[in-house]
Amino acid sequence: MLANKSLIKNIIRSILNNKKYFLFLLLISVFSFSLLLCNNSYPKDMKNTITNFYKNTNSFDVYLSTNVKFKQSDVKQIKDLKIVKGVSLSKELKVKANIKNNDYDIKAVSINPKRNLKDDDYINRLTLSSGKYPSTINEGLIDEKLFERNNLSIGDLVVLTISDNNKLRAKKIKIVGTVKNSLHVDKESKSEKENHYIYLEENNFTDEYNEMYITLNNDSNYDIYSKEYKALIKNGKKEILKVIEPIISDRKKDSILYLNDELESKKDTLNSLYELTLPEESLNNDIEKINNKISNIKKEINSLENDELYSSVKISSSGFKDYKEEVNSTNKFLYAISILIFVASIFLSTFLMCKIVIKDTNENISLKALGYNTLEINAKYIIFIVLSQVISFLIIILLLEKIIPIILWMYYKKIYSIPFIKPNIKIYPVVTLLLVNIAFIILFINVYFVYRKKYVKNM
């Protein structure tokens, strides 16, 4: 019992006398393990975070846009396809927003009035991060980044301007809430005045729907980075276009015919005004109004004639592609480096432990003289190693679960509009690595001293 107490005191004294080595050993383990586990786990976590984000927001698979406008009847036509799960129409406009005397080119998006989370047609669901949803056309939601960059407060006003003022009923918008962008993972532009959104009540828009978002059946069963998912949405887009292209083409022809009739009618009205003998000021006002209407009709005809049905899929966005490359490159390149660093850390830890043993040579001779056997003396170093690894284990768990995810998120959120990266660290691999590390350090120390003993004898 007395011998055991003396041995424990000796172990404590050894740690205190070699605290620099103990600290180095601990830091080496923390760094090498964290790097290896991060590069093994976080690429998967980054991928899972985005996959869950798309799933929770019911993100679109296929996107369509046209100036010809969509109708509710189109939704039924698309939903009749077996491959289609949900369809959502949206009214969207490019507008200029004046915020605290700064102008931003942003996109005004209509808020889906049907926000039932169980409804497949509620696509690109908004995630309200503060405030509330608008209750009138004079209220709106703004994306978090624009809100934060301008130090806005709930209740502040944003003034919107657009080339055709008739397309929005209310242009002075009171901010009543903020949202996380749910359209897709945007890669941030170098200009802070791009990639921003304001969400308005649907009845604030006077035009019909110009955007359509579609989800496909069984899309959540696929890895969004897989070839199978790519084939699914390619096939889905092909089937959808077969249905919608003829509809839009016929509607385009009908719209152009109608507008041409309107144009001729306005021209006739204008000609008749020139023949009237009304007061000059009143007549000039009427002529100006008709000329403005003629100009707007011509612009609309020109827009329709040059319009093509635009189609895209989720995986074609630059943000999606770049984020995918980030995940893949991180996984391959850094993982290889982290394995090399882990192996190097084992040899470095072995080197430090060997220095401690050599440093304690005289003390160990004294311990043998006092009756301690080799196993009892070696136990001091084994406990020294194990204790350093257990402490490093606790630090690693703290780093992987709390600190590193925050650092990663703070870095990537500056480049991409993504939610917080949730770690999914499993304890088993960490414990396995620690045990392997302890075993190899002890093994290499013994190999070194066996070799050293033989070498000294041969000398």
Side-chain angles (χ1 to χ4, degrees):
M1 184 70 178
L2 203 62
N4 289 338
K5 283 185 177 179
S6 299
L7 186 62
I8 291 168
K9 285 180 182 178
N10 190 262
I11 290 167
I12 294 169
R13 188 170 60 252
S14 178
I15 291 171
L16 292 174
N17 291 339
N18 297 289
K19 54 182 176 289
K20 285 185 180 178
Y21 289 108
F22 186 84
L23 183 62
F24 283 146
L25 199 65
L26 191 148
L27 290 175
I28 290 165
S29 297
V30 168
F31 176 73
S32 61
F33 289 150
S34 297
L35 193 63
L36 183 59
L37 290 165
C38 275
N39 289 302
N40 180 53
S41 174
Y42 282 123
K44 297 173 191 172
D45 293 337
M46 288 168 69
K47 185 176 168 183
N48 290 337
T49 297
I50 292 304
T51 301
N52 291 331
F53 173 70
Y54 284 139
K55 192 178 292 184
N56 293 336
T57 58
N58 196 26
S59 177
F60 75 96
D61 293 308
V62 180
Y63 162 72
L64 302 175
S65 175
T66 178
N67 289 328
V68 178
K69 313 305 178 190
F70 296 109
K71 297 182 183 295
Q72 288 292 348
S73 57
D74 301 334
V75 173
K76 186 179 183 310
Q77 297 267 24
I78 299 297
K79 286 200 77 172
D80 283 343
L81 293 169
K82 288 182 180 180
I83 200 169
V84 171
K85 179 170 65 176
V87 181
S88 174
L89 295 178
S90 177
K91 299 177 182 182
E92 303 181 15
L93 292 171
K94 289 181 180 178
V95 298
K96 194 174 286 292
N98 185 271
I99 304 171
K100 294 187 175 180
N101 297 320
N102 290 319
D103 286 332
Y104 291 83
D105 292 318
I106 68 174
K107 198 171 187 179
V109 182
S110 65
I111 300 171
N112 194 330
K114 300 174 183 177
R115 294 193 293 274
N116 185 347
L117 295 178
K118 294 179 180 178
D119 191 342
D120 289 333
D121 293 334
Y122 182 22
I123 300 170
N124 299 329
R125 296 165 185 165
L126 297 179
T127 304
L128 195 67
S129 50
S130 67
K132 64 183 183 68
Y133 279 96
S135 55
T136 70
I137 63 171
N138 298 94
E139 296 178 341
L141 305 172
I142 199 166
D143 73 73
E144 274 186 333
K145 291 196 174 179
L146 190 57
F147 187 84
E148 291 167 2
R149 282 172 179 166
N150 289 276
N151 197 25
L152 290 171
S153 300
I154 299 295
D156 284 348
L157 285 180
V158 173
V159 180
L160 305 178
T161 54
I162 188 170
S163 55
D164 185 352
N165 283 325
N166 294 321
K167 290 191 174 184
L168 281 179
R169 291 188 174 91
K171 299 166 193 72
K172 285 187 179 179
I173 305 299
K174 179 184 175 183
I175 301 303
V176 295
T178 61
V179 294
K180 298 179 187 296
N181 174 32
S182 63
L183 291 176
H184 46 73
V185 177
D186 274 326
K187 186 170 185 183
E188 287 295 292
S189 167
K190 290 180 181 177
S191 167
E192 291 187 352
K193 298 190 177 185
E194 295 178 17
N195 296 331
H196 292 300
Y197 300 83
I198 188 165
Y199 299 87
L200 309 172
E201 284 283 271
E202 195 176 88
N203 59 358
N204 192 7
F205 297 79
T206 57
D207 257 355
E208 294 179 79
Y209 302 101
N210 59 338
E211 316 273 335
M212 182 185 286
Y213 295 95
I214 303 160
T215 55
L216 305 177
N217 277 315
N218 302 317
D219 58 347
S220 59
N221 295 338
Y222 292 88
D223 176 352
I224 57 172
Y225 293 152
S226 68
K227 291 179 180 177
E228 290 78 13
Y229 177 70
K230 187 177 180 180
L232 173 77
I233 57 175
K234 184 180 178 182
N235 183 47
K237 178 183 163 183
K238 189 176 178 180
E239 287 192 37
I240 290 162
L241 289 176
K242 275 183 186 178
V243 172
I244 200 68
E245 279 180 333
I247 296 171
I248 296 300
S249 179
D250 290 343
R251 192 173 295 154
K252 177 179 176 179
K253 290 173 187 176
D254 292 342
S255 298
I256 291 171
L257 283 172
Y258 171 78
L259 288 169
N260 276 322
D261 288 341
E262 279 284 296
L263 182 62
E264 291 305 315
S265 174
K266 297 300 177 190
K267 285 179 179 178
D268 290 341
T269 304
L270 184 63
N271 290 333
S272 65
L273 285 174
Y274 284 122
E275 295 172 2
L276 295 175
T277 55
L278 294 171
E280 188 175 339
E281 186 178 345
S282 174
L283 188 61
N284 286 340
N285 284 337
D286 289 340
I287 289 171
E288 186 180 356
K289 285 179 183 177
I290 295 298
N291 272 322
N292 285 338
K293 286 179 180 178
I294 288 171
S295 177
N296 286 336
I297 290 170
K298 283 181 177 179
K299 283 179 183 176
E300 201 168 343
I301 290 170
N302 185 59
S303 173
L304 287 174
E305 285 177 338
N306 294 317
D307 182 68
E308 290 184 7
L309 178 66
Y310 175 77
S311 61
S312 181
V313 292
K314 178 160 53 190
I315 63 172
S316 66
S317 71
S318 60
F320 185 96
K321 290 176 182 176
D322 292 335
Y323 190 80
K324 177 183 176 182
E325 286 301 313
E326 288 273 15
V327 171
N328 290 340
S329 61
T330 302
N331 198 16
K332 292 174 184 175
F333 178 68
L334 289 180
Y335 188 58
I337 290 176
S338 60
I339 290 173
L340 292 174
I341 290 173
F342 175 70
V343 173
S345 74
I346 293 175
F347 287 103
L348 184 56
S349 298
T350 303
F351 172 74
L352 290 174
M353 287 305 303
C354 288
K355 285 196 74 174
I356 294 170
V357 175
I358 292 168
K359 181 185 169 189
D360 291 349
T361 300
N362 292 332
E363 183 183 334
N364 291 336
I365 291 170
S366 299
L367 287 171
K368 274 200 170 186
L370 291 170
Y372 289 99
N373 59 42
T374 303
L375 183 61
E376 288 172 327
I377 295 170
N378 286 343
K380 173 176 67 173
Y381 300 109
I382 293 169
I383 291 170
F384 188 98
I385 295 166
V386 171
L387 189 60
S388 70
Q389 298 307 293
V390 168
I391 294 171
S392 69
F393 170 79
L394 297 174
I395 295 171
I396 289 163
I397 295 301
L398 177 65
L399 283 171
L400 296 180
E401 289 284 350
K402 303 293 182 184
I403 299 170
I404 294 175
I406 293 172
I407 295 169
L408 277 174
W409 178 66
M410 288 179 71
Y411 169 74
Y412 280 110
K413 79 167 184 174
K414 292 179 181 178
I415 308 170
Y416 304 96
S417 299
I418 62 169
F420 183 75
I421 298 170
K422 294 179 181 177
N424 185 28
I425 304 298
K426 291 180 173 60
I427 301 297
Y428 174 74
V430 184
V431 173
T432 303
L433 277 176
L434 285 169
L435 292 175
V436 167
N437 194 43
I438 292 168
F440 271 108
I441 292 171
I442 294 170
L443 174 65
F444 290 150
I445 289 171
N446 281 286
V447 168
Y448 170 75
F449 280 103
V450 167
Y451 170 78
R452 188 170 180 269
K453 193 174 181 181
K454 286 183 179 179
Y455 179 75
V456 169
K457 278 187 178 179
N458 290 334
M459 290 289 289

